[in-house]
Amino acid sequence: MQQDRRSVLKHLAVGSAALLTLPLQNARGAGTDARPATIRIGVAQPGIGNPPVFSGSSAAVAHAKGWVEEEFKADGVKVEWFFFKGAGPAVNEALTNQQLDFAFQGDLPAIVARAAGLKTKLVLATGVRSNIYLAVPPDSPIQSVKDLRGKRVAIFKGTNAQLPINRVLEANGLQERELRSINLDQATTLAALSTKDIDAAFGNINLLRLRDKNAARIVYSSKGGNPIFTTQSHVLVTEQFAQQYPEVTARVVKTFVKAAKWASDEVNRDEVLHLWAKAGTPYEHWREDYEGQPLRVRINPNFDPFLIARYKDSVEQAYRFKLSRARVDVDQWIDQRYLQAALKELKLETYWPVFQANGKILGT
């Protein structure tokens, strides 16, 4: 079992030794500085509060703790965070307009952008294996996913939830085209479900708010089921930035890995969940969503065989549903050098569980 684990980790680490030998190039067309004046990070979530916060990932922890800013403080490099109510598609627009260097985003919108020619590299995972929920009004006759045919169902399209939702539908003998699907963001979904302007809504943990107000029933959750029905996210970097600032890119990734280590330590579970609760989702809901699951399962930076398989499956699914223009080469898109260098330096190569393509932990 240990030998199998070492083999997988060795395979994932191929090429990491060359990371720090990459040549430094000039800044974005200005000067000869080895570092940029500003690092711009986009988040495919709205920022809540003042100062704004977000939730559900080690990236959110790094932001709340100010660890990226701390890493570059002595260098005089400014770190700016940008939040997008329009989620992944809005992040894509900012990336296309060269307004971001890094982004925290889900798999589908990143696939769509990559297929359209946007030059990015995926550098670590964050916010993986997150649950999706299906909610209906309290008095609805709908009892399960199978009852959705012909119903008005909210789906936030273009986000990383769309493909696992389609997998859930297929597992229950349905296609999205058999629903009266409506594209709504999270806030509008909650309002529409409360007023019964829709018959059902797929969404995330935020649907539990309506349940607790007796304004909705949860009739499906991916919690405790096959992880192929969960959502996946990552941090990406633009190819231009990574080529110009490989050392800075490596430091950003290492900071996110440190955040993932801290956030996945069970000693910090309550603090992490309370921190995320500042973004509006109650602590009790985070506790319920994560109950019975080690933090290292979901706060895990590794592109392990499971996650790589999910991205490849999402590429095929996006192309089949005509959501993307072309098939993306996932093996070329994911750049593990920065991550593997950070794991080696921090002695964390075996800290997180490695998941096989079938969703089971290696060795189980």
Side-chain angles (χ1 to χ4, degrees):
M1 181 173 70
Q2 285 296 330
Q3 183 62 39
D4 289 344
R5 181 183 179 87
R6 283 194 294 270
S7 297
V8 170
L9 292 170
K10 182 178 180 181
H11 174 73
L12 292 175
V14 169
S16 63
L19 171 62
L20 299 181
T21 66
L22 291 171
L24 289 174
Q25 299 180 26
N26 289 345
R28 287 162 278 192
T32 58
D33 293 340
R35 298 183 180 90
T38 305
I39 298 170
R40 305 164 301 175
I41 305 173
V43 177
Q45 292 180 22
I48 306 298
N50 187 20
V53 294
F54 65 108
S55 60
S57 68
S58 54
V61 171
H63 169 260
K65 294 287 188 178
W67 285 337
V68 184
E69 291 83 347
E70 184 180 316
E71 171 68 23
F72 292 97
K73 184 177 181 180
D75 302 303
V77 176
K78 185 179 180 181
V79 177
E80 294 181 343
W81 296 77
F82 300 90
F83 302 90
F84 295 87
K85 181 182 178 182
V91 168
N92 283 346
E93 184 176 351
L95 287 166
T96 300
N97 293 327
Q98 299 183 5
Q99 295 169 333
L100 300 173
D101 306 307
F102 292 86
F104 165 54
Q105 187 183 39
D107 56 359
L108 176 58
I111 288 167
V112 171
R114 178 75 175 186
L118 191 61
K119 296 186 181 301
T120 58
K121 290 290 187 181
L122 309 187
V123 289
L124 81 153
T126 183
V128 297
R129 290 176 276 273
S130 297
N131 292 315
I132 59 174
Y133 294 83
L134 174 64
V136 300
D139 57 352
S140 171
I142 296 172
Q143 299 297 321
S144 71
V145 176
K146 289 181 170 61
D147 299 327
L148 294 180
R149 184 175 281 106
K151 304 299 184 183
R152 299 167 299 172
V153 183
I155 298 174
F156 196 176
K157 298 185 180 182
T159 69
N160 66 339
Q162 186 174 358
L163 294 183
I165 288 169
N166 274 273
R167 293 182 193 123
V168 170
L169 292 172
E170 286 186 341
N172 286 273
L174 292 171
Q175 300 287 331
E176 187 180 329
R177 64 176 178 270
E178 296 179 86
L179 317 179
R180 294 167 61 190
S181 62
I182 305 169
N183 184 18
L184 299 177
D185 64 25
Q186 292 183 22
T188 309
T189 291
L190 295 179
L193 194 60
S194 297
T195 56
K196 300 183 182 180
D197 288 324
I198 53 177
D199 299 310
F202 279 105
N204 60 18
I205 188 175
N206 288 321
L207 289 172
L208 299 181
R209 300 184 198 181
L210 296 185
R211 181 203 64 184
D212 287 359
K213 295 177 181 178
N214 295 318
R217 286 188 295 112
I218 304 297
V219 296
Y220 168 80
S221 168
S222 62
K223 179 176 170 61
N226 191 319
I228 69 169
F229 302 128
T230 60
T231 66
Q232 320 304 330
S233 302
H234 56 259
V235 171
L236 60 76
V237 64
T238 66
E239 287 188 8
Q240 180 182 10
F241 188 92
Q243 290 168 3
Q244 292 176 342
Y245 305 112
E247 185 257 349
V248 171
T249 302
R251 288 170 63 186
V252 170
V253 172
K254 185 171 76 171
T255 301
F256 279 127
V257 171
K258 287 180 178 178
K261 166 63 169 64
W262 183 88
S264 62
D265 188 331
E266 293 297 334
V267 172
N268 300 318
R269 178 180 283 257
D270 262 13
E271 185 175 350
V272 170
L273 302 186
H274 277 293
L275 186 155
W276 289 346
K278 293 179 181 179
T281 299
Y283 163 81
E284 291 75 18
H285 293 169
W286 285 115
R287 185 177 62 188
E288 177 182 342
D289 190 68
Y290 271 71
E291 188 177 9
Q293 195 170 44
L295 292 173
R296 295 187 196 190
V297 168
R298 288 169 62 179
I299 307 178
N300 186 331
N302 285 301
F303 278 105
D304 56 21
F306 168 80
L307 203 56
I308 292 172
R310 294 283 63 73
Y311 274 72
K312 289 182 177 180
D313 183 40
S314 293
V315 164
E316 292 300 319
Q317 202 174 6
Y319 186 74
R320 176 160 56 94
F321 292 143
K322 299 182 180 180
L323 301 174
S324 65
R325 298 180 185 178
R327 291 183 172 91
V328 174
D329 186 337
V330 172
D331 293 323
Q332 293 297 316
W333 188 24
I334 298 174
D335 188 345
Q336 301 235 30
R337 295 174 299 166
Y338 306 98
L339 173 60
Q340 295 304 325
L343 293 173
K344 184 176 181 180
E345 181 179 344
L346 299 171
K347 297 180 171 33
L348 295 174
E349 296 108 312
T350 60
Y351 179 78
W352 284 279
V354 174
F355 285 78
Q356 303 172 79
N358 62 8
K360 295 182 179 179
I361 295 177
L362 188 67
T364 61

